[in-house]
Amino acid sequence: MHSCFDVAKYFLAQSSEDAGDLISNLKLQKLVYYAQGFSLALSGRPLFDEHIEAWLHGPVIPALYHHYKDFGSGHIPHPVAFDLGIFTAQERELLDEAYEFYGQYSAWRLRQLTHDESPWRESYREGSNQVIHRDSMTRFFQTQVVH
């Protein structure tokens, strides 16, 4: 199994500063969340083990947040020496589709999308970072995929 950092680096490696396609910590959190959700729905398996919590601004992987928090709301640069080959062809397809669809949105738009979805809505408690359970994500994301 991969780590949330592997998935994050995959998305960061896809971004293009020249095209104005920049990824902030907030946007990265949402992209990694969506990748995990679609993996659960399509394969029945998580892409990574780290838990996701319902924070004020949507789903967050705490370890990933703390790793990149020094960038603030600025963009995170491309990873150095990252091997995309650690992912299977099926995983790369899933990640590419998630990035193609959700990568077009701003961080704030992705935040709004997650606020309208049941995994975050059912888990969020003001002032308390609650875990978003995988079964909740699986149920929701299964309604979002075309079989």
Side-chain angles (χ1 to χ4, degrees), residues 103-123:
Q104 66 183 313
Y105 296 115
S106 69
W108 199 252
R109 177 68 181 128
L110 292 173
R111 175 202 182 272
Q112 294 307 108
L113 287 173
T114 62
H115 276 59
D116 292 336
E117 299 166 351
S118 58
W120 182 85
R121 282 195 341 263
E122 292 169 0
S123 303

Side-chain angles (χ1 to χ4, degrees), residues 53-94:
E53 295 180 354
W55 288 19
L56 175 64
H57 293 294
V60 171
I61 300 97
L64 189 64
Y65 169 79
H66 291 293
H67 184 76
Y68 289 113
K69 70 182 177 184
D70 290 344
F71 291 99
S73 61
H75 82 278
I76 301 169
H78 275 253
V80 177
F82 178 63
D83 179 13
L84 299 175
I86 65 170
F87 294 99
T88 66
Q90 183 180 6
E91 290 167 338
R92 285 194 306 273
E93 183 178 348
L94 180 142

Side-chain angles (χ1 to χ4, degrees), residues 34 38 41 102 117 138-147:
Y34 280 117
F38 284 113
Y102 291 101
E117 299 166 351
T138 302
R139 281 192 308 276
F140 172 75
F141 282 94
Q142 283 176 337
T143 70
Q144 304 300 301
V145 296
V146 178
H147 294 282

